[in-house]
Amino acid sequence: MRIALDPQMLRTVPLLELPDVVAGLGYEWIELSPREDFVPFFKHPRVDTATVRALRSRLADAGVGVTSLLPVMRWSGPGEVERQAAVRYWKRAIEICVELGVDTLNSEFNGRPEAPELAEAMFWRSMEELLPILEREGVKLALEPHPDDFIELGSPALDMVRGIDSPCVSFLYCLPHTFHQGDDAPGIIASAGDLLTHVHVADSMDHRASDGLRYITNPPGNTVRVHQHMEIGRGDVDFDEAFAALAGIGFDGVLTTCVFGWDDQARESGTRML
């Protein structure tokens, strides 16, 4: 099993200095999530080939491996212009992944939850273009449902992964999204079995608690999705049952610690989570 750090709270550290910082925190693996000077959210990658090669060298020197890159693009719309742009951005992200010597990309379904059929149609159109490239390049893809995506629940997302029916596509379970996925981590993990290759590890409070009044948003009943990525033990996720479920399927993939929102404690938090 590999334990990785999502360095989102270290995003101001220069890219080429990041491997040494991650190694200094005790990690041997890193998951490269979106950052403005590398692969930003919803935009074309910014990094050039020379920098990718320099980063690969720095990683090797620091003894840090990359479990995966995490592009997040609008490949499920909401419009065709956005979808086509996202596919172009994805193609470049795949090139970066290969140049960096990494064999896995993680991502979200994206798309709008109020128009799930249109979003799904766009998702499949994008997959028709990208899946042959992934398979040709030997790059794997782990997909997760996300709050405010066209698929938010864990079991339907798992069904979608099965429907893609490709040996290079697997399922990612995100523990801080537990209460948006159906609040059944053990059941979803058990159902996923060998399809589960990656788990994001952080805590979150149950937004439904106290009769829905744990978080108050105005006007009442709006469609905002609220969750956090906190250190283990600061929220309501039952880690005992989640880790027991992972043990139950013989999980031997990647666990990424992904605590967000405490930039002033980024290094201390990374150490505590490890």
Side-chain angles (χ1 to χ4, degrees):
M1 188 180 302
R2 291 174 289 170
I3 298 176
L5 176 70
D6 179 335
Q8 192 275 342
M9 293 198 297
L10 297 168
R11 62 193 176 280
T12 60
V13 173
L15 181 64
L16 296 182
E17 296 177 17
L18 196 57
D20 284 335
V21 172
V22 171
L25 296 179
Y27 288 85
E28 297 179 359
W29 298 94
I30 186 172
E31 177 178 327
L32 286 171
S33 56
R35 49 182 285 159
E36 285 299 314
D37 59 354
F38 187 64
V39 181
F41 282 104
F42 310 124
K43 299 175 185 176
H44 192 281
R46 299 313 200 225
V47 68
D48 60 9
T49 300
T51 304
V52 173
R53 290 173 178 169
L55 177 59
R56 184 171 183 173
S57 177
R58 294 289 185 91
L59 286 160
D61 290 344
V64 174
V66 179
T67 59
S68 52
L69 274 58
L70 203 170
V72 180
M73 307 295 180
R74 301 195 192 281
W75 58 350
S76 300
E80 179 61 14
V81 171
E82 294 94 330
R83 189 202 70 80
Q84 290 182 15
V87 169
R88 290 195 297 272
Y89 306 162
W90 262 105
K91 289 177 181 178
R92 176 57 182 150
I94 294 169
E95 291 175 356
I96 293 168
C97 190
V98 172
E99 185 67 42
L100 200 54
V102 179
D103 67 358
T104 301
L105 292 157
N106 299 338
S107 196
E108 304 162 4
F109 287 98
N110 217 254
R112 297 304 311 143
E114 64 270 14
E117 292 182 4
L118 176 60
E120 179 172 338
M122 289 191 171
F123 172 78
W124 283 112
R125 189 179 301 168
S126 297
M127 288 301 293
E128 288 170 2
E129 295 185 56
L130 294 172
L131 194 56
I133 300 174
L134 292 166
E135 292 176 340
R136 183 186 71 226
E137 298 292 347
V139 174
K140 295 173 286 187
L141 174 66
L143 290 170
E144 66 162 307
H146 195 281
D148 206 45
D149 279 5
F150 83 89
I151 298 180
E152 299 182 90
L153 294 173
S155 292
L158 187 53
D159 289 341
M160 179 68 84
V161 170
R162 289 195 173 100
I164 296 170
D165 198 21
S166 168
C168 77
V169 181
S170 61
F171 182 68
L172 185 155
Y173 188 84
C174 187
L175 281 162
H177 300 165
T178 287
F179 305 112
H180 289 280
Q181 286 199 51
D183 194 14
D184 183 20
I188 295 168
I189 290 169
S191 179
D194 290 343
L195 272 180
L196 179 61
T197 59
H198 204 122
V199 177
H200 284 165
V201 181
D203 211 340
S204 186
M205 290 185 177
D206 187 349
H207 62 283
R208 307 162 304 168
S210 298
D211 198 27
L213 294 177
R214 171 161 277 169
Y215 301 103
I216 298 172
T217 62
N218 293 305
N222 64 28
T223 58
V224 65
R225 274 70 164 173
V226 178
H227 72 282
Q228 311 87 8
H229 284 239
M230 304 185 294
E231 292 179 28
I232 291 173
R234 294 191 176 184
D236 299 323
V237 175
D238 189 330
F239 283 92
D240 287 339
E241 70 173 17
F243 287 145
L246 291 171
I249 64 168
F251 180 77
D252 193 30
V254 177
L255 298 176
T256 297
T257 170
C258 52
V259 176
F260 307 150
W262 281 268
D263 290 3
D264 59 324
Q265 301 178 42
R267 302 190 189 208
E268 297 87 345
S269 178
T271 300
R272 288 192 294 264
M273 282 291 288
L274 180 58

